[in-house]
Amino acid sequence: MSDRPNVVLICVDQWRGDCLSIEGHPVLHTPHLDALALRGARFPRAYSATPTCVPARMALMTGLSQRSHRRVGYQDGVEFDVDTTLPGEFRRNGYQTQAIGKMHYTPTRARLGFDDVILHDGYMHYGRRRSRPVESYDDYVPWLREQAGQSAVSDYFDHGVNCNSYVARPWDKDEALHPTTWIGTQAISWLYRRDPTAPFLLYLSFHRPHPPFDPPAWAFEQYLHAPPYEPPVGDWWEQYADHREDHRHDAFVAQFPPHVLQRARAGYYGHMAHIDLQINRFLEALAEFELDKDTYVCFVSDHGEMLGDHHLFRKGFPYEGSARIPFLLAGPRTGRGVRREEVVELRDVMPTLLDCAGLDIPDTVEGRSLLGLARDERPTDWRPYLHGEHALLGQSLQWLTDGRQKYVWQSGPGREQLFDLAVDPRELRDRSDDPSYADDLHRWRQTLVEELRGRPEGYVKDGLLVPAQPPLTLLPR
């Protein structure tokens, strides 16, 4: 084993934390991710503290909490402004650093410390303009147009399915041309071109299973006829009824007909089956290059997907479907088949991977290395809870969890929720009015007051939470 191991960070977009067959999912089958978990460690209480792409990916690349990277909602066009980054630290220590796939930073071509970026962000309304050459913001489309049978105007949007839509259909081109397969192809091609004299950090960032729900036909069809699934609907869902839009294909709150939900799930799960195989394709190639024994592999998602739970869709919500993510780590110094219940978060990725490589963790980093946990060591202490938040639906959705309970404060109406995840993991019952949970409710409320004290939005005054304050998506410096 080398004392300078390679590191592969695989990030998928919008993959729920419960969507692994090793976690007991009733329908989905992810055999190769299960195998990765069995030869390493998994963290079933992993979360995205700010569960949409822009703020989550800031935490991933900087190791910072939202208070420090300042993104507390989704806002495109904010330039990346943190000096110390995950790839930058690897590069500074002599690693070759390569990114392939989705970045979702501003400027679009920002490298963040990577030596090179092969870019495909998916359909990005902010960056995609007909007035700009596609080469300025995407590497996949120019490649697609060069392939046999494609035209000078071929596009991933030829089928017309939007990037946040619940419309689902099979991919309209050959599977080899799908963006998911393209990531696998580019990654294996890069293994031939890498510098053999230097260790590497390789970032493989799949845009899917984020919509459009357009997996290859085989992947779509294997789940289209799966037994119908009844999504969990909590006794509190009508708190969001004012935002209900049943006839929007990209709604945040809606009740869609069962056949529409069935197709959406088939598209979503089909993407996961496709990604699982492409990850296996890459890992087998890594072994053929005789690099597997000297390489750490980390698998995470930037956030989840509500997928109709509680009649909610997309992301940005504090509930398990949106905020909980998969987190796997396997490599030379991890245990095997380790399962840890500590609450972990995306800001822990940077210190974990630096620790795996034996590199110093900068003082600016606020996350914690999970390498000791992955070896099944007992930590001397761990974070007692995680604070998450996101501006959504005209308010800020604030939340706290220790993995056993979850407290939610909806800043618009000032409404509280309390869930006992230990007995109610699907968040079906709001316990905030239950007298037996009164002490817990008070304790969590006071904890949130301390987290939000001094915030510019004015969420706290005289030691009390103040509702109806205009939310921010970007905190001032």
Side-chain angles (χ1 to χ4, degrees):
M1 183 184 74
S2 171
D3 59 356
R4 287 168 60 82
N6 306 304
V7 176
V8 176
L9 172 57
I10 302 172
C11 181
V12 289
D13 197 325
Q14 209 151 312
W15 188 305
R16 291 169 58 116
D18 61 357
C19 280
L20 293 170
S21 45
I22 199 170
E23 291 295 337
H25 194 277
V27 173
L28 183 65
H29 189 214
T30 54
H32 304 104
L33 287 171
D34 293 354
L36 183 66
L38 289 172
R39 68 179 180 89
R42 56 188 163 117
F43 300 90
R45 302 250 58 90
Y47 288 92
S48 175
T50 45
T52 63
C53 298
V54 169
R57 290 167 186 271
M58 285 297 297
L60 181 69
M61 286 295 160
T62 65
L64 299 177
S65 68
Q66 66 270 21
R67 181 184 289 271
S68 296
H69 66 62
R70 302 185 298 118
R71 280 73 170 173
V72 293
Y74 184 100
Q75 182 177 334
D76 278 316
V78 179
E79 292 206 2
F80 190 92
D81 57 359
V82 177
D83 293 332
T84 303
T85 67
L86 169 65
E89 288 303 294
F90 273 89
R91 186 181 185 186
R92 190 172 65 82
N93 283 278
Y95 273 68
Q96 184 177 4
T97 56
Q98 176 71 49
I100 300 173
K102 180 165 182 172
M103 295 289 285
H104 205 160
Y105 300 100
T106 300
T108 305
R109 289 289 184 179
R111 289 183 295 141
L112 278 61
F114 287 108
D115 295 326
D116 182 50
V117 174
I118 301 173
L119 184 65
H120 177 59
D121 277 341
Y123 198 118
M124 296 288 293
H125 290 91
Y126 177 79
R128 181 176 164 128
R129 296 288 185 271
R130 295 286 176 166
S131 59
R132 299 175 61 193
V134 67
E135 290 83 356
S136 68
Y137 59 83
D138 191 89
D139 292 318
Y140 164 77
V141 170
W143 171 88
L144 174 66
R145 292 172 178 175
E146 293 173 351
Q147 305 311 300
Q150 301 303 304
S151 75
V153 294
S154 290
D155 201 301
Y156 52 80
F157 192 52
D158 288 341
H159 53 40
V161 184
N162 286 86
C163 63
N164 283 306
S165 177
Y166 285 88
V167 177
R169 55 148 295 165
W171 177 242
D172 61 328
K173 299 174 176 63
D174 188 88
E175 183 176 338
L177 304 180
H178 195 284
T180 293
T181 308
W182 179 78
I183 296 290
T185 301
Q186 293 294 324
I188 293 169
S189 177
W190 181 82
L191 289 176
Y192 285 100
R193 304 193 311 271
R194 70 181 183 89
D195 179 354
T197 68
F200 63 80
L201 168 69
L202 178 59
Y203 178 50
L204 299 184
S205 184
F206 292 89
H207 174 263
R208 307 305 199 264
H210 189 294
F213 292 150
D214 62 349
W218 66 266
F220 181 76
E221 291 164 2
Q222 72 174 332
Y223 293 110
L224 185 60
H225 304 295
Y229 170 69
E230 289 295 327
V233 177
D235 60 7
W236 48 268
W237 82 268
E238 290 186 353
Q239 295 175 6
Y240 292 95
D242 288 347
H243 301 282
R244 182 175 169 182
E245 297 179 288
D246 290 359
H247 298 289
R248 282 191 65 97
H249 65 88
D250 57 355
F252 281 100
V253 186
Q255 290 191 44
F256 292 136
H259 72 278
V260 173
L261 282 179
Q262 188 77 350
R263 290 185 65 87
R265 290 192 190 95
Y268 186 59
Y269 298 156
H271 274 321
M272 292 170 168
H274 187 197
I275 291 170
D276 185 73
L277 284 176
Q278 287 301 312
I279 289 174
N280 182 56
R281 176 191 177 200
F282 171 75
L283 294 179
E284 288 289 352
L286 199 69
E288 291 166 2
F289 278 97
E290 300 180 87
L291 296 168
D292 55 321
K293 291 181 174 56
D294 287 334
T295 300
Y296 284 91
V297 179
C298 180
F299 174 84
V300 295
S301 176
D302 57 352
H303 51 78
E305 157 66 62
M306 290 305 297
L307 203 64
D309 291 5
H310 318 294
H311 303 309
L312 304 178
F313 294 86
R314 299 171 61 174
K315 57 272 191 178
F317 293 97
Y319 310 110
E320 294 289 276
S322 164
R324 192 158 73 90
I325 59 171
F327 198 138
L328 310 176
L329 179 68
R333 292 194 293 146
T334 65
R336 297 180 67 86
V338 174
R339 187 179 193 272
R340 297 303 296 253
E341 295 289 340
E342 286 84 356
V343 171
V344 304
E345 204 263 321
L346 283 175
R347 67 174 178 261
D348 298 327
V349 171
M350 179 175 175
T352 297
L353 298 187
L354 289 170
D355 197 7
C356 289
L359 305 180
D360 291 337
I361 300 170
D363 293 338
T364 57
V365 169
E366 296 170 333
R368 296 272 303 269
S369 171
L370 308 185
L371 183 57
L373 297 181
R375 292 199 290 258
D376 214 16
E377 298 172 357
R378 297 295 149 185
T380 54
D381 65 323
W382 196 254
R383 63 174 61 95
Y385 65 88
L386 175 69
H387 172 220
E389 63 181 300
H390 202 283
L392 190 70
L393 304 176
Q395 62 181 319
S396 180
L397 298 175
Q398 298 280 335
W399 52 282
L400 303 164
T401 187
D402 60 2
R404 297 177 297 277
Q405 292 185 342
K406 183 186 292 178
Y407 170 82
V408 177
W409 182 61
Q410 302 169 16
S411 79
R415 186 183 294 120
E416 295 176 307
Q417 296 175 309
L418 182 65
F419 301 103
D420 189 339
L421 299 176
V423 299
D424 179 26
R426 302 202 299 171
E427 299 167 312
L428 294 173
R429 184 178 175 190
D430 176 9
R431 314 275 178 158
S432 60
D433 292 331
D434 187 334
S436 65
Y437 286 84
D439 290 344
D440 293 317
L441 185 70
H442 176 75
R443 172 174 54 86
W444 284 119
R445 182 189 302 129
Q446 293 307 118
T447 302
L448 186 62
V449 165
E450 293 307 311
E451 286 286 346
L452 297 180
R453 193 183 297 276
R455 282 277 290 263
E457 300 97 331
Y459 291 143
V460 174
K461 184 177 181 181
D462 298 328
L464 300 174
L465 295 172
V466 180
Q469 302 299 303
L472 296 175
T473 55
L474 180 70
L475 297 179
R477 290 186 181 278

